[in-house]
């Protein structure tokens, strides 16, 4: 099954305790697409400016990522600059230059309209709905959002959420969206808004999956080297949906495995700046880390 992703393709300037990366490849759609491409073909819709060169496109080449939907507009590419705290658990946005992204109107090429899975990256909820209006009944619609839209366009966001199957947000966003501090109550309230499945990302504390049948928790792999957490959430989403796209059935068991594959890919992204680590991994390394996860969470061979 193929996946359609709509989101940002960016230049990022990032400062972490390990150093600084200047105008490197970033953006939600970039991390998502490369992560998902380890499992399934990806159709990418986004916009870049005329300062976006061949060198940046190299990250997508040689992978099953279709770039017919990557529009090139006159002007500069979206640029985001962020600085992380010493413990890497929080970050400040220093500047956001929307540039060509400000006038982004997603146009879905005809060849993408039958994509079975759709990932609506973190953009205006109105634009997310316009994407859905251009595609034929996907099997799964997944969506990301952020505080900016939760507080800035709550009614638009609600309308979009009514059409979404899987929502992926962080714990703080889940609390803000639902008005509930307790995450179990927050999940119940959010699932009533539309998404049957809610994935709550908790950074270095892992992920919670709230579904129709059950709740599932996965830790983040304890890592010795964490250089730059940028894109971990989008990488997680790419691994999660990419794995689901590679399966015949999408059920509770596959959802749990998808959560672990998402976590595995995110664990690579944070080991270097930009997409540098994500781009170089092999399927064998992915499988090995999947086994590390099994070992990490295994605690009992016997029924109590
Ligand atoms: P994450 O660390 O998973 O939250 O994603 C970080 C990526 O989001 C960076 O590569 C940025 O380029 C991108 N980004 C930051 N702010 C925005 C925004 N307002 N809209 C779209 N993408 C953004």
């Amino acid at each position: 099954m193929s996946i359609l992703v709509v989101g940002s393709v960016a230049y990022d300037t990032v400062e972490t305790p390990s150093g600084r990366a200047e105008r490197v490849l970033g953006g939600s759609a970039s991390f998502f697409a490369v992560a998902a491409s380890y499992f399934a073909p990806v159709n990418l819709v986004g916009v870049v400016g005329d300062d976006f060169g061949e060198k940046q496109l190299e990250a997508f080449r040689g992978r099953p990522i279709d770039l017919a939907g990557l529009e090139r507009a006159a002007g500069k590419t979206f640029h985001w600059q962020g600085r992380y705290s010493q413990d890497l658990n929080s970050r400040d946005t220093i500047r956001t230059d929307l540039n060509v992204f400000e006038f982004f109107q997603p146009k879905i090429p005809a060849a993408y309209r039958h994509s079975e899975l759709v990932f609506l990256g973190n953009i205006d909820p109105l634009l997310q709905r316009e994407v859905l209006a251009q595609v034929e009944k996907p099997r799964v619609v997944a969506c990301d959002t952020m505080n900016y839209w939760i507080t800035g366009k709550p009614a638009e966001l609600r309308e979009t959420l009514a059409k979404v199957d899987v929502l992926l947000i962080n714990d703080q966003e889940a609390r803000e969206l639902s008005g509930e501090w307790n995450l179990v109550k927050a999940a119940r309230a959010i699932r009533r808004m539309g998404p049957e499945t809610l994935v709550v990302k908790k950074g270095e504390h892992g992920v919670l999956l709230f579904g129709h049948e059950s709740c599932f928790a996965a830790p983040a792999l304890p890592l010795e080297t964490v250089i730059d957490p940028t894109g971990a959430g989008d990488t997680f989403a790419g691994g999660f949906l990419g794995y689901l796209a590679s399966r015949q059935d999408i059920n509770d068991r596959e959802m749990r495995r998808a959560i672990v594959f998402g976590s595995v890919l995110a664990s690579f992204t944070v080991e270097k700046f930009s997409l540098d680590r994500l781009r170089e991994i092999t399927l064998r390394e992915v499988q090995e880390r999947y086994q590390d996860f099994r070992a990490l969470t295994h605690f009992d061979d016997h029924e109590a």
Side-chain angles (χ1 to χ4, degrees):
M1 293 193 269
S2 61
I3 310 176
L4 167 66
V5 54
V6 183
S8 57
V9 175
Y11 281 125
D12 286 350
T13 297
V14 183
E15 287 168 57
T16 81
S18 305
R20 179 184 165 96
E22 187 95 32
R23 293 180 65 79
V24 289
L25 179 63
S28 59
S30 308
F31 286 103
F32 180 95
V34 172
S37 74
Y38 283 97
F39 300 101
V42 181
N43 298 321
L44 192 154
V45 172
V47 63
V48 291
D50 40 30
D51 57 350
F52 197 85
E54 250 330 282
K55 186 171 171 287
Q56 282 67 35
L57 286 176
E58 262 174 30
F60 306 119
R61 303 254 192 245
R63 300 175 182 279
I65 300 176
D66 192 294
L67 297 175
L70 182 63
E71 184 188 329
R72 194 175 283 267
K76 284 187 176 169
T77 300
F78 172 71
H79 173 241
W80 174 78
Q81 182 170 355
R83 185 184 297 137
Y84 285 83
S85 61
Q86 202 63 28
D87 65 5
L88 295 169
N89 281 329
S90 60
R91 73 178 176 208
D92 291 324
T93 290
I94 311 283
R95 61 187 287 181
T96 301
D97 305 313
L98 288 175
N99 299 331
V100 294
F101 202 52
E102 187 173 356
F103 307 105
F104 180 45
Q105 287 290 331
K107 287 181 267 317
I108 312 302
Y112 290 7
R113 295 204 176 132
H114 297 280
S115 306
E116 286 94 342
L117 284 85
V118 173
F119 180 65
L120 305 168
N122 170 25
I123 54 175
D124 187 327
L126 183 65
L127 294 184
Q128 290 178 323
R129 265 202 323 282
E130 284 177 16
V131 170
L132 292 183
Q134 295 176 60
V135 296
E136 303 282 336
K137 252 192 165 316
R139 271 183 76 180
V140 179
V141 176
C143 173
D144 185 10
T145 193
M146 68 188 290
N147 293 2
Y148 183 77
W149 305 117
I150 293 170
T151 51
K153 292 206 174 178
E156 290 290 357
L157 182 59
R158 285 296 187 104
E159 240 183 277
T160 300
L161 289 180
K163 299 175 189 297
V164 164
D165 303 304
V166 183
L167 178 67
L168 300 106
I169 48 179
N170 68 33
D171 44 349
Q172 188 198 334
E173 290 158 353
R175 292 186 169 110
E176 215 161 305
L177 176 60
S178 62
E180 294 280 0
W181 182 254
N182 178 289
L183 282 181
V184 178
K185 289 182 180 162
R188 194 177 303 132
I190 292 169
R191 291 183 62 238
R192 267 195 233 113
M193 297 175 193
E196 177 164 316
T197 303
L198 173 70
V199 178
V200 180
K201 300 172 285 180
K202 292 157 50 109
E204 68 163 344
H205 303 297
V207 180
L208 286 172
L209 169 76
F210 294 94
H212 171 59
E213 292 173 48
S214 61
C215 173
F216 173 64
L221 203 64
L223 295 170
E224 207 170 318
T225 308
V226 181
I227 301 292
D228 174 16
T230 307
D234 304 307
T235 304
F236 171 86
F240 174 77
L241 277 192
Y243 176 77
L244 288 181
S246 73
R247 312 314 290 169
Q248 284 282 330
D249 290 322
I250 297 179
N251 50 35
D252 189 57
R253 173 194 280 229
E254 296 293 17
M255 282 272 183
R256 289 171 180 233
R257 288 193 179 130
I259 291 283
V260 174
F261 275 110
S263 307
V264 163
L265 288 191
S267 76
F268 287 111
T269 287
V270 303
E271 288 183 333
K272 287 189 178 176
F273 281 106
S274 183
L275 283 80
D276 292 357
R277 183 73 178 108
L278 183 63
R279 285 175 61 185
E280 68 187 13
I281 53 178
T282 60
L283 273 179
R284 194 194 162 94
E285 283 180 292
V286 172
Q287 291 296 349
E288 279 172 6
R289 231 171 237 198
Y290 185 80
Q291 296 308 328
D292 290 346
F293 258 89
R294 292 183 69 126
L296 178 71
T297 53
H298 181 83
F299 67 97
D300 198 348
D301 281 325
H302 306 286
E303 298 268 327

